[in-house]
Amino acid sequence: MESSAGDPTQAGKLKNEFFYDPFVSGDRAEHANLFYDILLANGHISCYLLNTGFVGEGSSYRDISLADTMGILDSVLRGGLEDWVLSPKTGLSIPRSVRAVDPNLMRPEKLFTAGDFEMRQRALAQQRAEIMDRFPGLHTKIKGVFQK
């Protein structure tokens, strides 16, 4: 989500950034390819995608609080996320549970009707595929994750 510190005219709007790191300058595809190579060469490294905003909408809206974020990070860093399962709805591996965190935060499909969730997932997949086209130098394996 855009903040007033980033672009005050866009504050509060959802924002999608590929390989976003405020400290990276230059070609993002080049940096993403380097990161990909580092991960390939170091199979012991684990990476996590962490949503620190919200899940759902309207009556199903769930804020991801600082306590939720800290609970997730505590489980990642001190153990407790050993039981993972592939979500057929999102295609992501998710923990079965995280102590002291509402499990619905990791299962957005439970916050929408089945049809609405599928429609949103298709739109998200399309958006991600289009974003990948903006990075012509990006490794085909990285693009392939989003352009099936």
Side-chain angles (χ1 to χ4, degrees):
M1 185 170 289
E2 184 64 67
S3 71
S4 59
D7 181 350
T9 65
Q10 300 296 312
K13 291 185 179 177
L14 291 179
K15 177 180 175 178
N16 286 308
E17 290 288 336
F18 168 73
F19 201 73
Y20 179 72
D21 182 338
F23 303 106
V24 170
S25 62
D27 186 342
R28 286 191 183 172
E30 184 179 325
H31 287 280
N33 291 338
L34 177 60
F35 184 62
Y36 177 74
D37 291 340
I38 290 169
L39 292 177
L40 280 179
N42 295 277
H44 62 282
I45 295 176
S46 296
C47 297
Y48 302 90
L49 175 63
L50 182 60
N51 178 356
T52 58
F54 66 90
V55 180
E57 179 177 276
S59 64
S60 68
Y61 177 92
R62 301 288 186 278
D63 184 53
I64 299 172
S65 69
L66 178 59
D68 294 322
T69 300
M70 296 307 294
I72 293 167
L73 292 174
D74 182 65
S75 293
V76 167
L77 298 172
R78 296 184 182 178
L81 293 183
E82 291 80 21
D83 190 15
W84 293 78
V85 61
L86 181 64
S87 167
K89 300 290 185 181
T90 63
L92 299 172
S93 293
I94 58 173
R96 286 196 194 272
S97 66
V98 179
R99 60 183 168 266
V101 177
D102 178 359
N104 286 328
L105 295 179
M106 283 156 272
R107 292 171 180 79
E109 68 274 11
K110 293 186 176 198
L111 301 175
F112 298 95
T113 65
D116 189 28
F117 186 77
E118 289 176 25
M119 178 191 67
R120 289 167 183 272
Q121 282 296 104
R122 280 193 303 274
L124 179 61
Q126 178 66 34
Q127 181 183 37
R128 287 174 172 167
E130 290 170 1
I131 289 171
M132 292 296 104
D133 287 335
R134 296 181 198 162
F135 300 92
L138 192 61
H139 193 291
T140 56
K141 294 261 185 175
I142 298 171
K143 280 187 171 187
V145 170
F146 302 102
Q147 296 181 327
K148 296 177 182 176

